Amino acid sequence: MSASVTLLILASCLFAVGIYIMMQRNLTRILLGFLLVGNGVNIFIFLMSGRPGDAPITPANGDASGLADPVPQAFILTAIVINFGITAFLLALIYRSWWLAQLGEDGDTVSSDQDDDDENSAQVFEQSHDEDDAIQEALDASDDEDNNPLHEPGPNTGPIGTVGRISTEGRDPS
């Protein structure tokens, strides 16, 4: 098995620089270092796969001696996907950290002004609850009047109600 010296040096440099950058406390540098180490790992997997060969499709005669091993390629593809997912997560952390830094010393803690707003909201909610109770009592009282047999409807009210009754005043009965 012969490995390319150039690729070996390149992968070693990516590892060294990536680890050096990751040792610093800045999240952006940690992300860059992680990307460099991830690419170094991919190159090492490529180097360990052996000599290049033909496409991994079995020929018609069944001779598979000159074919490339597809497993390292699958490993590299999986490593790229995992590297992409972790990069997206680190970018989200960096954005959240930047957002919290923009808010100042308090960060995303609840201020006392917001507590006052919450108390006002609670009072408004209580008042609306009292109004809902008063409306419900009025509706219950009107239901009791409709169900009371002693209650006689007025001249313009009937079983349909005031809206559905047609006034006949002023018309000729014939």
Side-chain angles (χ1 to χ4, degrees), residues 40-112:
V41 167
N42 289 340
I43 290 174
F44 270 127
I45 292 173
F46 179 72
L47 285 174
M48 290 188 303
S49 67
R51 63 171 181 75
D54 295 333
I57 299 173
T58 307
N61 61 5
D63 183 24
S65 61
L67 301 180
D69 188 12
V71 175
Q73 297 171 11
F75 283 157
I76 291 173
L77 183 62
T78 304
I80 289 170
V81 171
I82 291 171
N83 201 6
F84 177 74
I86 293 175
T87 301
F89 179 69
L90 284 175
L91 282 173
L93 286 179
I94 290 169
Y95 176 73
R96 181 68 179 161
S97 174
W98 174 81
W99 181 256
L100 290 176
Q102 296 298 316
L103 294 177
E105 294 178 8
D106 292 336
D108 60 349
T109 57
V110 177
S111 66
S112 61

Side-chain angles (χ1 to χ4, degrees), residues 128-174:
S128 67
H129 185 69
D130 292 341
E131 291 173 359
D132 288 344
D133 289 342
I135 291 171
Q136 186 63 39
E137 287 177 11
L139 288 174
D140 290 342
S142 68
D143 286 343
D144 289 342
E145 289 177 2
D146 291 341
N147 293 334
N148 189 358
L150 299 176
H151 177 73
E152 294 185 18
N156 290 333
T157 59
I160 298 174
T162 309
V163 176
R165 186 161 181 108
I166 299 172
S167 175
T168 57
E169 293 179 13
R171 291 189 177 179
D172 188 16
S174 57

